[in-house]
Amino acid sequence: AQKITQTQPGMFVQEKEAVTLDCTYDTSDPSYGLFWYKQPSSGEMIFLIYQGSYDQQNATEGRYSLNFQKARKSANLVISASQLGDSAMYFCAMRPNFGNEKLTFGTGTRLTIIP
Amino acid sequence: DARVTQTPRHKVTEMGQEVTMRCQPILGHNTVFWYRQTMMQGLELLAYFRNRAPLDDSGMPKDRFSAEMPDATLATLKIQPSEPRDSAVYFCASGSGGGLVYEQYFGPGTRLTVT
């Protein structure tokens, strides 16, 4: 079984500052993928970034980077130079690379960017 | 810009009525997922298909829910009869699964309210 833990229900960050959203996971699968999704108030789920368990380097996508620490089973999302449009719910998720391909989601972190 | 489409976007119905939700996956994607989002349970997988064949529907209440893919461009989720506890946002997601790595792209969701 897989489990995702997001311990920050809500965060407030000043515009233009960097923000780190925490995510820890638990799995017995040897190969897996970690994902972050953004859900703005409009409700859609927007894929942000992916990290494979065997990737040697941390994933980056524009202002998003994933701080992957495999030994600690953490996959924190870092948003640099935050913008007002970053205000949303953020979900960490994981999926095994073999077998059942369902995404297991965390409970999410509500990020609010303050002007 | 390829997107997953879902119809209807909103549905209000009375308890006992049949509800059908439709999803058009991104062209070329061979894997389709149905997720449900509620405040209490968060995001959870209901079922998923690969090449139109169901691979896992263990998350679905079998007595009232059914999911099908009549063709590669259409996935349906049906609830009959609907109950107030089915009120949730239902997301369809698609991906080009079967390989080691792929992302799941979500549709805008169908917000279902059963009174």
Side-chain angles (χ1 to χ4, degrees), chain A residues 7-29:
Chain A
T7 57
Q8 306 152 309
M11 288 188 68
F12 291 84
V13 173
Q14 204 75 35
E15 189 180 6
K16 298 180 185 175
E17 289 186 351
V19 56
T20 298
L21 304 180
D22 294 340
C23 172
T24 57
Y25 62 91
D26 193 21
T27 182
S28 56
D29 293 292

Side-chain angles (χ1 to χ4, degrees), chain B residues 48-98:
Chain B
Y48 82 98
F49 294 76
R50 162 103 10 90
N51 297 323
R52 297 176 55 200
L55 292 188
D56 183 1
D57 62 2
S58 59
M60 264 187 351
K62 300 290 191 306
D63 56 339
R64 299 183 300 108
F65 283 60
S66 62
E68 295 179 344
M69 280 200 76
D71 61 60
T73 64
L74 177 64
T76 62
L77 180 66
K78 195 170 295 186
I79 309 174
Q80 168 62 23
S82 57
E83 297 180 2
R85 60 180 167 152
D86 300 330
S87 297
V89 180
Y90 291 81
F91 287 102
C92 174
S94 74
S96 48

Side-chain angles (χ1 to χ4, degrees), chain A:
Chain A
Q2 300 179 321
K3 186 175 180 180
I4 295 282
T5 303
Q6 294 182 255
T7 57
Q8 306 152 309
M11 288 188 68
F12 291 84
V13 173
Q14 204 75 35
E15 189 180 6
K16 298 180 185 175
E17 289 186 351
V19 56
T20 298
L21 304 180
D22 294 340
C23 172
T24 57
Y25 62 91
D26 193 21
T27 182
S28 56
D29 293 292
S31 179
Y32 50 89
L34 295 154
F35 303 79
W36 278 91
Y37 285 85
K38 172 183 178 182
Q39 188 175 41
S41 57
S42 53
E44 73 266 36
M45 295 286 289
I46 302 168
F47 165 74
L48 294 178
I49 195 166
Y50 164 86
Q51 177 81 47
S53 59
Y54 285 101
D55 291 344
Q56 296 297 313
Q57 293 190 324
N58 287 342
T60 60
E61 287 287 347
R63 293 186 300 113
Y64 304 108
S65 60
L66 202 152
N67 184 0
F68 179 46
Q69 299 188 45
K70 193 172 182 178
R72 294 185 177 186
K73 293 189 174 180
S74 75
N76 298 341
L77 177 70
V78 180
I79 306 174
S80 63
S82 57
Q83 302 171 356
L84 295 178
D86 294 332
S87 294
M89 281 289 287
Y90 288 80
F91 291 94
C92 179
M94 74 178 303
R95 166 183 59 76
N97 285 336
F98 301 98
N100 194 308
E101 295 161 71
K102 73 173 186 179
L103 283 169
T104 299
F105 286 88
T107 52
T109 296
R110 181 170 297 281
L111 175 65
T112 303
I113 306 299
I114 305 167

